[in-house]
Amino acid sequence: MDNNIKQRIDEITNEISNINDLNIKHACLTYMEQQAAFMLWQMEDEKHIDNDSYNV
Protein backbone atom coordinates (compact mmCIF):
# COMPACT_ATOMS: atom_id res chain seq x y z
CA MET A 1 0.00 0.00 0.00
CA ASP A 2 1.21 3.47 -0.83
CA ASN A 3 2.49 5.08 2.38
CA ASN A 4 0.84 8.44 1.59
CA ILE A 5 -2.55 6.78 1.30
CA LYS A 6 -1.99 4.87 4.53
CA GLN A 7 -1.07 8.10 6.32
CA ARG A 8 -4.22 9.83 5.02
CA ILE A 9 -6.39 6.92 6.16
CA ASP A 10 -4.71 6.99 9.57
CA GLU A 11 -5.27 10.77 9.82
CA ILE A 12 -8.97 10.37 9.05
CA THR A 13 -9.25 7.49 11.53
CA ASN A 14 -7.55 9.57 14.22
CA GLU A 15 -9.80 12.53 13.45
CA ILE A 16 -12.89 10.36 13.84
CA SER A 17 -11.51 8.87 17.07
CA ASN A 18 -11.35 12.38 18.51
CA ILE A 19 -15.06 13.03 17.93
CA ASN A 20 -16.84 13.19 21.28
CA ASP A 21 -20.41 12.92 20.01
CA LEU A 22 -21.03 9.18 19.74
CA ASN A 23 -23.85 9.62 17.20
CA ILE A 24 -21.59 11.56 14.84
CA LYS A 25 -18.71 9.12 15.40
CA HIS A 26 -21.02 6.19 14.64
CA ALA A 27 -22.34 7.91 11.51
CA CYS A 28 -18.79 8.57 10.28
CA LEU A 29 -17.67 5.00 10.87
CA THR A 30 -20.81 3.58 9.28
CA TYR A 31 -20.27 5.76 6.22
CA MET A 32 -16.62 4.66 5.96
CA GLU A 33 -17.71 1.04 6.25
CA GLN A 34 -20.32 1.48 3.49
CA GLN A 35 -17.83 3.18 1.20
CA ALA A 36 -15.21 0.47 1.77
CA ALA A 37 -17.77 -2.30 1.17
CA PHE A 38 -18.89 -0.64 -2.07
CA MET A 39 -15.31 -0.28 -3.27
CA LEU A 40 -14.60 -3.94 -2.47
CA TRP A 41 -17.77 -4.96 -4.32
CA GLN A 42 -16.68 -2.92 -7.35
CA MET A 43 -13.23 -4.49 -7.24
CA GLU A 44 -14.68 -8.02 -7.11
CA ASP A 45 -16.92 -7.15 -10.07
CA GLU A 46 -13.92 -5.85 -12.02
CA LYS A 47 -11.97 -9.02 -11.20
CA HIS A 48 -14.85 -11.17 -12.52
CA ILE A 49 -15.02 -9.12 -15.71
CA ASP A 50 -11.25 -9.36 -16.11
CA ASN A 51 -11.30 -13.14 -15.54
CA ASP A 52 -14.15 -13.54 -18.02
CA SER A 53 -12.18 -11.68 -20.67
CA TYR A 54 -9.49 -14.34 -20.50
CA ASN A 55 -12.08 -17.07 -21.04
CA VAL A 56 -13.24 -15.72 -24.41
Side-chain angles (χ1 to χ4, degrees):
M1 177 188 315
D2 181 82
N3 198 42
N4 289 330
I5 293 173
K6 184 185 178 308
Q7 285 179 331
R8 289 174 28 204
I9 292 170
D10 289 344
E11 288 169 2
I12 291 169
T13 303
N14 287 333
E15 186 175 341
I16 293 170
S17 293
N18 292 328
I19 296 172
N20 291 325
D21 186 315
L22 293 179
N23 290 326
I24 294 173
K25 185 183 287 190
H26 184 268
C28 290
L29 293 172
T30 300
Y31 181 75
M32 285 179 60
E33 182 180 37
Q34 290 170 345
Q35 291 298 95
F38 180 70
M39 290 177 69
L40 287 169
W41 174 81
Q42 282 183 314
M43 203 168 105
E44 288 296 320
D45 196 42
E46 289 173 11
K47 282 173 40 179
H48 289 298
I49 291 169
D50 191 48
N51 288 342
D52 289 345
S53 70
Y54 290 113
N55 295 330
V56 173

